[in-house]
């Protein structure tokens, strides 16, 4: 039996929109297993990104419980959650979100630049190794503005990977990329997953969802039941094709 | 690479904007530094000038006063038991006090009456150099006596005696030449004949005696009361008075200049600080995305706070260094234009330079506390909504 890494129970989240309250997540139950590649799919506005943000502790739910390795994260202090995001969680956004005035190397090492103590040589070497591995070895001192969209997304992933995090949360990591670059990124994510990293990915691309071990679909803030298998998406993709 | 890399890299990216901000803040610091330098020099200069307008401490022998009245008719107060002071002993005692370097002039005087023809006139024996030291406002028709047999007449005394410069004044068996006549002062000086101190001591047969001493001791923040106390300790048998009104008036003039400069500086400083604060507030709003990224990477509120404060501190430190240096240079030009400095020059101090850098660095940090706090407390989810 697989170990549960993250477990969400009755997760509920609402936002105030103009004069009315909009429920984005409604009584969600979700488990993420250690080492699995989970895809969250759903139409635009279905609550995928909010669920990812809740699971990665960036957004606090209004109700419910969120466990990571058995600890309820919603009872943790903000400083403990900061530490968790610093060490165990890594987040990749759709628009890569690199700091525009930091170089590729600095952006990659950003998780380690939070103190007066300089980043160690070991970490610099490790970042250089990953960046070289993803084809950016000759662009270490470039600013993000001088990179293509795919390269920027690779830097964002390298930033997530260099931390040796336990879980990678990826919000539409291929959303702003062309198909070829998107495939490359997906290959890279799968490779990371094979190396042991748990991945929770939000996507609306059936083809990419099909690469995950498991897929869950959200519809109007609730889980579509029963949970869908990747096979379903393979079939959908074939139908679309 | 550490946390300082983030604000430094941002400053480098927005070099033009940062330079503009530094320029504006440096101008503020420059104005403050120049104003303070000018006020110090002008205060010093004014102080010297004012100190030349008379004494502010009187050292006189102790005397008993008797009120004379009879049948309801008051005939004024009568002094008795008045003894003259010893010239050498009194002067050396005054010049030996602990705060002696604060004393600019010690002017001893002997007062008596002289019979001139059928009239009796008050005469004052003075040391000419010392007297001119405290009475630089004297305007003289003629010149200051150079010889022992020369006198200086007060304006009204000259009118009474119908004398003018170069005329001769008969006193007893001797003739004195009128070296000069004072222009009207409106004070006691108009009524008297001024002679050399030794000459009057001889005429009055009071060798080595003086009636009182005028002391000029004026400086910004000068401890007049302490000087009086120290002289009193040295000369226990004397009556020492600080002419507080004069002192306070002069001090007020000096302090007014310095307070004015300080007030203007404060307004400039507050304006510059407000500008920095507003600029940082705008920067926080501009950089919500960066804050969101950093928070998602585990940066805490304190880290975000530090990043913005360091950025403000760098601007303040540079502005302090540039502003103080240019302000120092500008103070020369200002003093030149205002023609106020006489021979005084602003003083460049390394300690002041570093102090200015630290002070203005702290001011910018203080001005940025609210924006930095606002940035630090941005909810990561709020920052994330501005990410797409």
């Amino acid at each position: 039996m697989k170990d549960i890494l993250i477990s969400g129970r009755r997760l509920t989240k609402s936002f105030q929109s103009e004069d009315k309250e909009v429920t984005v997540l409604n009584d969600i139950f979700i488990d993420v297993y250690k080492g699995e590649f989970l895809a969250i799919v759903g139409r635009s506005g279905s609550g995928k990104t909010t669920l990812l943000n809740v699971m990665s502790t960036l957004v606090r739910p209004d109700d419910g419980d969120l466990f990571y390795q058995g600890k309820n994260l919603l009872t943790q202090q903000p400083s403990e959650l900061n530490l968790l995001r610093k060490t165990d969680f890594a987040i990749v956004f759709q628009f890569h979100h690199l700091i525009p005035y930091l170089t590729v190397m600095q952006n990659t090492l950003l998780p380690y630049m939070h103190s007066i103590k300089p980043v160690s040589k070991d970490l610099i070497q490790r970042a250089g190794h990953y960046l070289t591995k993803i084809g950016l070895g000759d662009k270490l001192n470039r600013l993000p503005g001088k990179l293509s969209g795919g390269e920027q997304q690779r830097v964002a992933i390298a930033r997530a990977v260099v931390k040796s995090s336990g879980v990678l949360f990826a919000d539409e990591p291929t959303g702003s990329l062309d198909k070829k670059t998107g495939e490359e990124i997906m290959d890279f994510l799968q490779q990371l997953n094979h190396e042991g990293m748990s991945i929770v990915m939000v996507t609306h691309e059936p083809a990419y969802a099909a690469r995950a071990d498991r897929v869950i679909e959200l519809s109007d803030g609730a889980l579509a039941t029963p949970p869908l298998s990747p096979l379903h998406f393979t079939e959908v993709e074939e139908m679309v094709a | 690479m550490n946390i300082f890399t983030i604000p430094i890299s941002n400053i480098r990216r927005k070099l033009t904007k940062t330079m503009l901000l530094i320029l504006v803040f440096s101008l503020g610091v420059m104005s403050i530094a120049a104003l303070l330098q000018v006020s110090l020099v002008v205060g010093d200069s004014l102080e010297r000038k004012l100190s030349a307008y008379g004494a502010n401490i009187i050292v006189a022998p102790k005397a008993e006063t008797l009120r004379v009245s009879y049948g309801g008719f008051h005939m004024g107060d009568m002094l008795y038991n008045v003894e003259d002071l010893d010239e050498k002993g009194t002067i050396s005692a005054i010049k030996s006090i602990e705060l002696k370097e604060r004393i600019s002039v010690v002017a001893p005087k002997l007062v008596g009456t002289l019979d001139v023809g059928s009239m009796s006139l008050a005469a004052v024996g003075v040391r000419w150099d010392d007297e001119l030291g405290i009475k630089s406002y004297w305007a003289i028709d003629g010149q200051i006596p150079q010889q022992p047999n020369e006198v200086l007449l007060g304006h009204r005394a000259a009118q009474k005696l119908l004398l003018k410069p170069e005329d001769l004044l008969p006193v007893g068996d001797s003739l004195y030449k009128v070296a000069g006549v004072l222009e009207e002062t409106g004070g006691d000086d108009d009524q008297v004949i001024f002679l050399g101190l030794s000459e009057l001591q001889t005429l009055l047969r009071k060798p080595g005696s003086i009636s009182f001493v005028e002391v000029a001791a004026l400086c910004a923040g000068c401890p007049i009361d302490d000087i009086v106390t120290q002289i009193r300790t040295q000369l226990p048998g004397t009556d020492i008075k600080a002419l507080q009104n004069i002192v306070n008036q002069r001090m007020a003039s000096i302090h007014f200049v310095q307070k004015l400069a300080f007030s203007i500086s404060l307004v400039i400083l507050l304006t510059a600080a407000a500008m920095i604060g507003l600029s940082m507030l705008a920067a926080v709003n501009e950089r919500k995305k960066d804050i969101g990224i950093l928070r998602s990477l585990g940066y805490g509120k304190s880290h975000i706070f530090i990043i913005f404060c360091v950025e403000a501190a760098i601007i303040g430190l540079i502005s302090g260094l540039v502003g103080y240096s240019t302000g120092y240079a500008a103070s020369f030009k200002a003093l030149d234009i205002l023609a106020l400095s006489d021979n005084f020059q602003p003083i460049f101090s390394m300690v002041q330079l570093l102090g200015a850098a630290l002070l203005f660095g702290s001011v910018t940090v203080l001005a940025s506390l609210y924006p930095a706090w606002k940035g630090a407390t941005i909810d990561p989810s709020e920052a994330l909504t501005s990410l797409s």
Side-chain angles (χ1 to χ4, degrees):
Chain A
M1 192 176 167
K2 283 183 180 177
D3 293 335
I4 293 176
L5 193 64
I6 298 172
S7 181
R9 295 286 175 268
R10 297 184 312 281
L11 295 173
T12 303
K13 180 72 188 173
S14 300
F15 289 110
Q16 201 70 30
S17 173
E18 294 174 354
D19 290 339
K20 58 180 182 180
E21 199 173 70
V22 179
T23 303
V24 186
L25 296 179
N26 189 8
D27 214 23
I28 301 275
F29 284 73
I30 186 169
D31 288 329
V32 179
Y33 298 99
K34 196 171 182 181
E36 86 164 329
F37 190 159
L38 174 70
I40 302 172
V41 298
R43 282 181 301 178
S44 180
S46 60
K48 312 185 287 290
T49 296
T50 305
L51 179 59
L52 192 85
N53 288 341
V54 165
M55 291 168 75
S56 60
T57 72
L58 286 174
V59 172
R60 191 178 174 83
D62 299 332
D63 200 6
D65 293 304
L66 179 68
F67 297 93
Y68 173 68
Q69 293 183 333
K71 271 188 194 169
N72 191 346
L73 299 183
L74 303 184
T75 59
Q76 305 267 296
Q77 292 297 314
S79 57
E80 291 172 304
L81 296 181
N82 285 338
L83 187 66
L84 190 71
R85 289 200 295 270
K86 206 182 289 179
T87 53
D88 289 31
F89 291 180
I91 307 166
V92 175
F93 302 98
Q94 179 180 357
F95 295 100
H96 13 85
H97 297 311
L98 304 175
I99 304 271
Y101 43 87
L102 297 180
T103 63
V104 165
M105 179 59 95
Q106 287 167 342
N107 262 294
T108 309
L109 289 170
L110 204 50
Y112 295 99
M113 283 165 52
H114 47 73
S115 74
I116 297 172
K117 196 179 158 192
V119 176
S120 70
K121 283 182 182 171
D122 283 352
L123 277 167
I124 294 172
Q125 274 182 347
R126 197 160 91 200
H129 166 74
Y130 275 113
L131 289 166
T132 306
K133 198 173 164 185
I134 57 174
L136 293 170
D138 56 341
K139 295 175 180 174
L140 302 182
N141 294 317
R142 287 212 188 161
L143 292 174
K146 301 282 180 190
L147 301 178
S148 69
E151 287 172 328
Q152 288 187 42
Q153 192 62 297
R154 275 185 272 168
V155 176
I157 294 171
R159 182 173 67 192
V161 172
V162 79
K163 290 203 298 178
S164 301
S165 309
V167 191
L168 173 66
F169 297 94
D171 186 8
E172 305 260 16
T174 57
S176 62
L177 307 175
D178 58 55
K179 194 170 180 193
K180 184 175 172 286
T181 315
E183 288 288 343
E184 283 173 16
I185 295 297
M186 284 309 299
D187 289 343
F188 189 51
L189 289 180
Q190 271 194 309
Q191 189 189 331
L192 290 174
N193 180 241
H194 291 148
E195 287 170 8
M197 184 179 266
S198 307
I199 295 176
V200 181
M201 178 183 72
V202 163
T203 184
H204 62 269
E205 289 284 340
Y208 297 147
R211 292 192 181 203
D213 300 329
R214 193 160 61 96
V215 179
I216 60 166
E217 184 182 15
L218 284 187
S219 175
D220 295 329
L223 280 181
T225 47
L228 303 169
S229 72
L231 183 61
H232 168 86
F233 286 90
T234 314
E235 287 164 358
V236 171
E237 194 188 8
E238 282 167 359
M239 283 167 67
V240 171
Chain B
M1 273 179 275
N2 59 12
I3 196 163
F4 298 135
T5 308
I6 301 167
I8 291 169
S9 299
N10 183 52
I11 284 175
R12 279 167 52 191
R13 175 185 65 148
K14 294 185 174 175
L15 202 57
T16 312
K17 190 181 169 187
T18 308
M19 292 300 281
L20 203 64
L21 207 57
I22 287 174
L23 177 74
V24 171
F25 201 61
S26 295
L27 282 173
V29 178
M30 184 188 89
S31 311
I32 293 165
L35 259 173
L36 292 180
Q37 287 277 12
V38 167
S39 83
L40 284 175
V41 171
V42 168
D44 207 17
S45 167
L46 204 62
E47 177 190 308
R48 301 281 175 120
K49 281 180 184 169
L50 286 174
S51 69
Y53 278 87
N56 43 48
I57 297 170
I58 303 286
V59 180
K62 268 194 177 155
E64 302 294 330
T65 311
L66 179 68
R67 170 166 279 209
V68 183
S69 66
Y70 184 76
F73 180 70
H74 181 58
M75 290 181 287
D77 295 343
M78 198 172 83
L79 290 173
Y80 67 98
N81 271 348
V82 181
E83 286 182 12
D84 288 331
L85 299 169
D86 172 55
E87 183 189 349
K88 279 186 186 167
T90 305
I91 292 169
S92 65
I94 293 169
K95 289 187 171 173
S96 65
I97 66 166
E98 201 180 323
L99 290 166
K100 55 183 177 288
E101 72 279 3
R102 299 293 183 102
I103 293 173
S104 56
V105 181
V106 177
K109 289 175 183 64
L110 178 64
V111 181
T113 54
L114 292 177
D115 293 327
V116 182
S118 59
M119 277 187 275
S120 266
L121 283 175
V124 181
V126 297
R127 288 179 177 179
W128 296 111
D129 288 344
D130 294 332
E131 201 61 18
L132 287 174
I134 57 170
K135 289 181 177 167
S136 60
Y137 55 88
W138 271 359
I140 299 167
D141 178 16
Q143 59 176 18
I144 281 286
Q146 306 290 330
Q147 304 296 324
N149 63 342
E150 289 181 343
V151 296
L152 178 71
L153 296 181
H155 185 75
R156 295 190 66 183
Q159 280 180 336
K160 274 187 192 173
L161 296 167
L162 301 172
L163 292 175
K164 57 183 187 305
E166 303 293 324
D167 287 348
L168 293 174
L169 174 74
V171 178
D173 300 331
S174 312
L175 278 177
Y176 288 86
K177 183 182 161 191
V178 178
V181 175
L182 285 179
E183 301 266 332
E184 194 163 9
T185 63
D188 294 338
D189 293 348
D190 291 343
Q191 314 282 349
V192 301
I193 302 168
F194 289 96
L195 297 92
L197 181 59
S198 316
E199 194 60 27
L200 190 62
Q201 284 170 341
T202 308
L203 281 173
L204 297 179
R205 293 192 183 88
K206 289 183 175 180
S209 293
I210 52 172
S211 305
F212 68 98
V213 183
E214 285 187 310
V215 180
L218 190 70
C219 37
C222 199
I224 290 289
D225 289 338
D226 292 346
I227 293 173
V228 168
T229 307
Q230 288 178 15
I231 296 175
R232 193 167 283 141
T233 310
Q234 291 286 331
L235 297 166
T238 56
D239 194 8
I240 298 150
K241 288 176 191 162
L243 306 181
Q244 289 294 345
N245 283 347
I246 299 170
V247 174
N248 292 342
Q249 231 171 13
R250 292 171 194 170
M251 289 299 182
S253 305
I254 293 166
H255 290 156
F256 173 75
V257 174
Q258 287 168 344
K259 277 181 186 169
L260 185 69
F262 180 75
S263 306
I264 296 170
S265 301
L266 202 64
V267 171
I268 295 170
L269 187 65
L270 286 175
T271 311
M275 280 188 61
I276 294 281
L278 284 173
S279 166
M280 292 307 286
L281 204 57
V284 166
N285 288 328
E286 265 174 33
R287 288 160 65 190
K288 268 189 180 175
K289 177 183 157 182
D290 299 358
I291 295 169
I293 295 169
L294 294 171
R295 293 303 304 273
S296 75
L297 292 171
Y299 281 63
K301 288 177 185 176
S302 58
H303 297 123
I304 307 293
F305 190 80
I306 288 168
I307 288 168
F308 281 101
C309 285
V310 166
E311 214 168 297
I314 291 170
I315 292 169
L317 280 171
I318 298 173
S319 300
L321 291 172
V322 174
Y324 179 83
S325 307
T326 50
Y328 170 74
S331 62
F332 280 92
K333 192 70 187 166
L335 287 167
D336 197 28
I337 292 168
L338 297 170
L340 282 170
S341 66
D342 291 342
N343 292 321
F344 296 96
Q345 298 285 323
I347 299 163
F348 186 88
S349 156
M350 207 60 194
V351 175
Q352 282 181 12
L353 176 72
L354 295 175
L358 283 175
L359 173 72
F360 294 108
S362 308
V363 167
T364 48
V365 169
L366 279 175
S368 302
L369 283 182
Y370 173 69
W373 172 80
K374 199 166 178 258
T377 52
I378 285 177
D379 191 83
S381 62
E382 187 198 330
L384 284 167
T385 56
S386 67
L387 285 180
S388 45

